[in-house]
Amino acid sequence: MNSKQWAELLKYASPKSILVVNSENRVIELKCPFNVEVKHDIGMSKKNDVCQVTSVKISTNMTTVFIINGEAYYYYHFYILL
């Protein structure tokens, strides 16, 4: 991905919120901090722990990353709690 493509993508990305689809098929914006539940043991967190996402980033391989307690984790390790 070249710098122009990155710039275009980042125009729509916010480090302080994430868009999700709720159970009613409506798109809602969750603003940081929001809570997530750990799917399996990862880092210092154990399965079923509830953590707070303080920031949202995008990795260089285009994967959403949650910042939790100053550490970066891929989104797919968590359930987003609405």
Side-chain angles (χ1 to χ4, degrees):
M1 182 172 277
N2 65 35
S3 59
K4 185 176 180 181
Q5 291 169 318
W6 268 108
E8 183 68 20
L9 173 70
L10 293 176
K11 278 194 325 191
Y12 303 103
S14 168
K16 293 297 176 188
S17 69
I18 188 171
L19 298 175
V20 295
V21 178
N22 68 11
S23 60
E24 299 166 352
N25 279 339
R26 300 189 79 162
V27 175
I28 60 171
E29 180 182 24
L30 289 182
K31 295 185 185 216
C32 295
F34 60 88
N35 292 329
V36 292
E37 182 180 336
V38 180
K39 289 183 178 181
H40 51 82
D41 294 358
I42 184 167
M44 298 300 289
S45 300
K46 303 292 181 199
K47 182 178 180 177
N48 298 326
D49 282 354
V50 174
C51 302
Q52 231 179 32
V53 175
T54 56
S55 187
V56 180
K57 307 288 184 184
I58 299 175
S59 70
T60 56
N61 64 359
M62 304 296 291
T63 304
T64 300
V65 174
F66 292 157
I67 306 301
I68 300 170
N69 296 326
E71 299 288 327
Y73 300 98
Y74 288 126
Y75 78 95
Y76 50 75
H77 296 295
F78 306 92
Y79 298 111
I80 298 171
L81 302 177
L82 300 179

